[in-house]
Amino acid sequence: MDSRNAASETQRPSGSAHPDAVEFVRFCYRRRRVGWPELYDEMCAVAGRGLFRGYDADDLAGLGIGFSLFDMPALAVLSSRIVAEELALRRPVVVTIRAEMAGTAEPQLETAPTAAPVPSNLRPSTDSRDERTFDVPIRL
């Protein structure tokens, strides 16, 4: 039996990750708030320095976090799930207070619309004659 098969037998059932593995990815995401390739770099840096509870790469491998090429697809799936959860927690929330609710202790929370309509006076001009100059150079 080779080491890859032995490691896969000790992993949790598919779809569930060790709670410490989830917290590790969440910790790394909260440090930088970046997407997958950069998040992988952050996870490698955190593991290399033992910044998460003193765990190094070997300790994290025991939790199901592997940094090898073979472990990367599973780590990418776990990371994308956690990033989606974190983004959902950061969505704007609107609090509305109504006359009926004035005597209650808890206001009703509603999720804000994802894109607010832009008033016509704030929309960019489509006039081709509009020539504006800017003091700041634009870099592409």
Side-chain angles (χ1 to χ4, degrees):
M1 176 186 303
D2 67 333
S3 61
R4 283 184 292 173
N5 291 336
S8 64
E9 290 175 6
T10 61
Q11 290 178 352
R12 300 172 80 76
S14 63
S16 68
H18 193 280
D20 285 343
V22 171
E23 286 305 311
F24 169 75
V25 176
R26 198 175 305 277
F27 174 81
C28 294
Y29 176 74
R30 288 179 179 167
R31 280 176 50 96
R32 290 224 19 232
R33 296 198 191 279
V34 291
W36 167 242
E38 293 86 8
L39 183 58
Y40 176 79
D41 293 340
E42 180 67 17
M43 287 190 280
C44 290
V46 168
R49 294 182 187 112
L51 299 177
F52 177 74
R53 299 179 185 168
Y55 292 174
D56 62 1
D58 293 333
D59 298 328
L60 292 167
L63 301 175
I65 300 287
F67 296 104
S68 72
L69 185 60
F70 297 109
D71 298 323
M72 204 171 290
L75 187 57
V77 169
L78 177 64
S79 299
S80 64
R81 184 185 63 137
I82 292 170
V83 167
E85 289 173 4
E86 287 291 314
L87 289 175
L89 292 174
R90 295 180 62 201
R91 286 204 177 114
V93 175
V94 176
V95 177
T96 57
I97 300 174
R98 298 185 186 141
E100 309 82 54
M101 295 178 52
T104 63
E106 280 189 46
Q108 181 176 353
L109 299 177
E110 298 176 7
T111 322
T114 56
V118 177
S120 59
N121 61 344
L122 296 179
R123 290 189 187 133
S125 172
T126 56
D127 188 9
S128 62
R129 296 177 292 144
D130 186 19
E131 296 180 21
R132 292 182 266 177
T133 58
F134 299 95
D135 295 333
V136 179
I138 299 174
R139 295 182 187 174
L140 298 176

